[in-house]
Amino acid sequence: MTTAGSGLLGASLASRPGSRRFHVLTASVAATWLAGAQAAGPVRRGRRDIGRPVAVGAGAFGVFCGCALVARRIAPLRRAIAGVLDHARHGPAAAVAATTLLTGAAEEVFFRGALYDAAGARVSTAVYVLSTTATRNPALVLASAVMGTLFAWERGRSGGVQAPLLTHVVWSALMLAFMPRLFPPEPGAHAPAWDAGGA
């Protein structure tokens, strides 16, 4: 299941930004993680705390913004991040947001749910990072190591997937909304219609 999800993830990021193939593949990634979790049995919800996980997600976004200001001065990282953000700039905004948030939630159900219960924090985090290497994007791999560790900590602290899921969704939503402003399209890239005029 992990191999299938990783392969689909790599293929989705390799597809043309805004294409139907991209959205189909990202939906398939989410479906794969959810199917894997369901096959493993019930996933623990944990403490019903909302405020703390939301605050953690917002705080993580703030840290990543600070790191982004440094990363955009380093050409390889700037290109890697810009490559990911091309997928956020193209296609219907609602579809991009839906696939981003759904995939993030599905990752938590599988990695911090089923896999965490089966193998523990270290193994689930290591597999999470390893699965991200399928994208061949160093920025995503670094982000998965940092956030995977944070999500696993939240999973252990809260006793279930609700906390890391909320943190992941909040962090992803903020990254999607604001990070493209820090990384304008690389020279030669074309702005999508829905982003014309800086909207």
Side-chain angles (χ1 to χ4, degrees):
M1 193 63 71
T2 304
T3 301
S6 300
L8 289 168
L9 178 63
S12 69
L13 269 292
S15 61
R16 183 171 58 83
S19 65
R20 183 175 182 274
R21 174 182 169 82
F22 169 73
H23 292 289
V24 169
L25 286 171
T26 51
S28 299
V29 172
T32 300
W33 298 142
L34 291 173
Q38 184 176 22
V43 174
R44 299 176 186 176
R45 178 176 178 177
R47 297 175 189 166
R48 299 187 179 185
D49 181 13
I50 296 177
R52 185 185 296 271
V54 169
V56 171
F61 164 71
V63 171
F64 269 73
C65 274
C67 293
L69 296 176
V70 176
R72 66 181 182 177
R73 297 175 179 272
I74 304 171
L77 283 179
R78 184 182 69 247
R79 287 193 295 268
I81 296 171
V84 174
L85 293 177
D86 278 346
H87 292 281
R89 293 189 179 98
H90 293 78
V96 171
T99 54
T100 299
L101 301 183
L102 176 60
T103 302
E107 285 178 357
E108 295 313 307
V109 173
F110 180 75
F111 289 101
R112 259 63 63 177
L115 190 57
Y116 187 104
D117 285 340
R122 291 183 179 179
V123 172
S124 62
T125 301
V127 174
Y128 181 59
V129 175
L130 186 61
S131 72
T132 309
T133 62
T135 66
R136 295 179 291 179
N137 187 299
L140 286 180
V141 175
L142 285 172
S144 72
V146 174
M147 295 306 293
T149 301
L150 176 62
F151 297 146
W153 174 80
E154 283 197 290
R155 169 62 173 83
R157 182 184 177 281
S158 68
V161 299
Q162 177 175 295
L165 190 154
L166 287 172
T167 295
H168 197 147
V169 168
V170 169
W171 174 73
S172 293
L174 292 172
M175 293 285 281
L176 183 62
F178 296 103
M179 196 59 67
R181 303 180 188 183
L182 297 179
F183 292 86
E186 291 287 299
H190 298 286
W194 66 268
D195 195 38

